[in-house]
Amino acid sequence: MHEWLVNYGFYSLFLLSFLAATLLPLGSEWLVVAMLIGRQNPVAVVLVATAGNYLGALSTYWIGLYGGDFLRRRVLRMDEETTRKAERFYERFGSLSLLFSFLPVIGDPLCLVGGVLQVGFIRFSLLVLTGKLARYAAVAWLTLKGAAL
């Protein structure tokens, strides 16, 4: 596995982080931890994971912005309850709720709702990037602190 991570680790991290930001039931944190334990550069790991996850969220935002109900139901397979949860969360906290786009269950639908409600691209990007960067930085920090013990 070490050789695989050295040869394909960052490509795999980017792809997994991208897919994890869609409604596919995937997580990329385990690969971040594995790469950090394997002594990969922490800054590079966090930046690659953040970039992949942001671009995945951006694809969901785009679907919300341009795709409407058909793509939401057929491509993302979002049911009405998941959509309602994201909309309630969004109504409660407004566009600042996009800071929480890294959360399981409601994070990805929040990006979709951001698109449906036509949140500006720059505002969307700043909020989502901040939340995702903070999450991966926290995972890296906890991993490195735990490895130092």
Side-chain angles (χ1 to χ4, degrees):
M1 177 150 177
H2 181 268
E3 185 176 322
W4 178 80
L5 285 175
V6 169
N7 292 329
Y8 303 106
F10 284 104
Y11 298 112
S12 299
L13 178 61
F14 181 86
L15 181 61
L16 185 60
S17 297
F18 181 94
L19 293 173
T22 66
L23 290 177
L24 294 173
L26 297 172
S28 55
E29 293 80 8
W30 69 270
L31 187 52
V32 168
V33 170
M35 291 180 73
L36 292 172
I37 290 171
R39 304 207 186 277
Q40 294 291 331
N41 180 320
V43 173
V45 169
V46 168
L47 290 178
V48 168
T50 300
N53 213 242
Y54 163 71
L55 291 172
L58 193 58
S59 68
T60 304
Y61 167 81
W62 181 82
I63 289 170
L65 195 60
Y66 297 108
D69 273 354
F70 172 77
L71 290 175
R72 179 182 57 82
R73 288 187 190 137
R74 297 292 181 176
V75 176
L76 297 177
R77 301 188 195 288
M78 283 181 62
D79 61 16
E80 293 302 318
E81 181 58 27
T82 302
T83 304
R84 276 194 297 276
K85 282 181 185 177
E87 287 172 344
R88 282 193 302 267
F89 196 86
Y90 194 91
E91 286 171 7
R92 185 171 178 191
F93 297 104
S95 63
L96 289 178
S97 65
L98 291 168
L99 284 170
F100 301 100
S101 64
F102 67 88
L103 290 174
V105 181
I106 64 165
D108 301 328
L110 281 173
C111 293
L112 183 82
V113 169
V116 169
L117 298 178
Q118 299 181 356
V119 172
F121 175 76
I122 293 173
R123 183 172 185 80
F124 173 87
S125 293
L126 289 173
L127 292 168
V128 170
L129 268 171
T130 300
K132 291 180 180 295
L133 177 62
R135 186 239 342 247
Y136 284 117
V139 168
W141 185 79
L142 290 169
T143 300
L144 295 172
K145 281 293 183 188
L149 295 178

